[in-house]
Amino acid sequence: MSRPSEEHQLNFDNANALREVSGEVGAHWKLIGRELGVQVHQRGTRVTVAGNDKSTDLAADLITQLYELAMKGTNITNSLVEHATRLTRTDPEVRLDEVFSDVIFVARNRTPIFPRSLTQKHYVQSIRQNDIVFGLGPAGTGKTYLAVTMAVAALSRNEVSKIILCRPAVEAGEKLGFLPGDLVEKVNPYLRPLYDALAELVGQDKTVRLMEKGTIEVAPLAFMRGRTLSKSFVILDEAQNTTAMQMKMLLTRLGVGSKAVITGDLSQIDLPPREKSGLEQASRILKGVRGIDQVTFSATDVVRHRLVSDIIRAYDRARPQRREDR
């Protein structure tokens, strides 16, 4: 077995901060070593990184930045280390404190919510600066979760008085008659990802109370016509399954003091072959309009299990047949 060609010796002053970075029984060293192809060893407050030139430089810089985050009080979790490693591998010049220090909201269990990729950082900034934002890209990139977090944060600061949740149901046709219950009960299953995010952020009981007061409203897309949505934070999820008419109708509902975040994956359109996607059309014709922005995520932004990004890349390489050729 050949010896590593490069070795870095890192010395740190604060043993407690370094313990945060190393993880339980050195779990974070193993993660970094596996992902960057290096060997990480610790003795006291000295950390040795061994491997090839490029990998050791990346790993040494990553560990140093994680230590700096720990010194500022950031909780260095396994998830954070995994995302930080992915960020470093994607962009060796990235400054982790600029990404992970941007706390959007502190959840009910005191967990700070912050961007976990450069695209997520751009997305959050775009929502702050624009009244309409399209978040496009594959599942698992945090488009919906961050939109809900931004909505809750805006509500907590009294920037909006209502959160409105929309999502096309049953292949965008809103054909809900065969489902049991009233209108809200019929649509509820399709809004489960939004409810789950709310429950995680503010708790199940508070979510229910806010819904009972009308502060959080379930608004089936097909029944939005004729309304004016003032001082509201509107989230339209799975927007690739809206028709062109539905999309235009929603966008023209916005009133004074409102924001809309529209999320979807254009590779997952379930509309009939001859039906144009409202998201596809809107993201094209509204590009460049002042106050409207578009943020596109990719497989590198996936924040679920690391295999999800590999699965997305594999499907992308397979180059599925385009909808218009079906």
Side-chain angles (χ1 to χ4, degrees):
M1 182 176 178
S2 60
R3 297 179 61 187
S5 58
E6 184 74 16
E7 188 173 283
H8 278 285
Q9 296 281 347
L10 303 172
N11 295 290
F12 300 97
D13 297 326
N14 191 306
N16 290 330
L18 188 59
R19 193 176 300 114
E20 274 276 310
V21 177
S22 67
E24 190 173 348
V25 199
H28 296 162
W29 299 148
K30 294 175 185 176
L31 191 159
I32 293 169
R34 181 179 68 246
E35 294 296 324
L36 297 182
V38 297
Q39 298 169 19
V40 184
H41 302 287
Q42 178 184 352
R43 173 169 289 186
T45 56
R46 174 180 292 178
V47 177
T48 303
V49 183
N52 65 49
D53 292 352
K54 184 178 179 181
S55 295
T56 52
D57 287 344
L58 280 177
D61 184 54
L62 170 63
I63 291 168
T64 300
Q65 290 197 62
L66 289 172
Y67 176 81
E68 291 170 355
L69 285 173
M71 288 292 290
K72 293 178 181 177
T74 302
N75 185 18
I76 310 299
T77 63
N78 188 74
S79 175
L80 186 146
V81 174
E82 185 174 345
H83 295 308
T85 304
R86 189 182 300 170
L87 268 173
T88 302
R89 193 170 54 209
T90 303
D91 180 6
E93 303 300 319
V94 69
R95 300 310 305 167
L96 297 179
D97 59 338
E98 294 179 4
V99 179
F100 297 136
S101 63
D102 184 5
V103 176
I104 307 165
F105 186 75
V106 178
R108 65 184 179 89
N109 59 359
R110 298 185 179 179
T111 300
I113 310 299
F114 47 77
R116 295 179 181 271
S117 74
L118 292 176
T119 309
Q120 284 197 357
K121 173 77 171 178
H122 176 204
Y123 184 56
V124 167
Q125 290 175 331
S126 180
I127 294 171
R128 287 175 177 146
Q129 296 167 2
N130 297 278
D131 289 335
I132 298 176
V133 175
F134 292 93
L136 310 177
T141 50
K143 305 183 302 297
T144 301
Y145 186 81
L146 284 176
V148 174
T149 303
M150 292 293 284
V152 171
L155 184 68
S156 69
R157 295 190 297 265
N158 295 316
E159 294 172 3
V160 297
S161 57
K162 178 176 288 191
I163 296 173
I164 298 177
L165 309 175
C166 300
R167 186 171 180 173
V170 192
E171 300 185 350
E174 312 272 349
K175 300 171 185 175
L176 306 173
F178 69 93
L179 293 173
D182 61 21
L183 185 59
V184 172
E185 290 171 332
K186 291 173 189 288
V187 174
N188 271 348
Y190 299 95
L191 293 162
R192 178 51 54 190
L194 302 174
Y195 289 148
D196 289 346
L198 285 167
E200 184 177 328
L201 292 167
V202 301
Q204 185 67 41
D205 292 342
K206 187 172 182 179
T207 298
V208 171
R209 289 197 303 272
L210 289 172
M211 290 184 67
E212 289 173 346
K213 290 169 57 181
T215 305
I216 296 176
E217 180 185 348
V218 176
L221 188 55
F223 294 85
M224 294 284 286
R225 191 174 304 279
R227 297 185 59 184
T228 299
L229 308 175
S230 299
K231 209 179 179 187
S232 301
F233 198 117
V234 183
I235 300 172
L236 174 58
D237 194 30
E238 296 291 339
Q240 74 274 7
N241 289 327
T242 59
T243 65
M245 185 180 297
Q246 287 174 329
M247 178 61 75
K248 182 180 178 182
M249 180 267 293
L250 177 75
L251 292 173
T252 55
R253 297 308 94 202
L254 291 188
V256 176
S258 288
K259 280 184 180 286
V261 179
I262 296 144
T263 68
D265 180 358
L266 291 173
S267 71
Q268 298 288 331
I269 298 172
D270 295 321
L271 291 166
R274 293 185 181 181
E275 186 76 72
K276 295 282 187 181
S277 166
L279 178 62
E280 190 173 42
Q281 182 193 64
S283 63
R284 174 170 41 83
I285 68 176
L286 296 177
K287 191 174 291 184
V289 176
R290 187 176 179 181
I292 300 177
D293 195 21
Q294 179 175 309
V295 179
T296 302
F297 294 81
S298 68
T300 60
D301 299 302
V302 170
V303 292
R304 291 179 183 169
H305 192 289
R306 64 184 181 84
L307 281 177
V308 175
S309 59
D310 295 334
I311 291 167
I312 292 169
R313 288 192 188 94
Y315 272 90
D316 287 344
R317 286 194 299 270
R319 295 180 182 177
Q321 195 174 24
R322 291 174 59 87
R323 293 179 71 246
E324 52 265 41
D325 295 334
R326 283 188 284 174

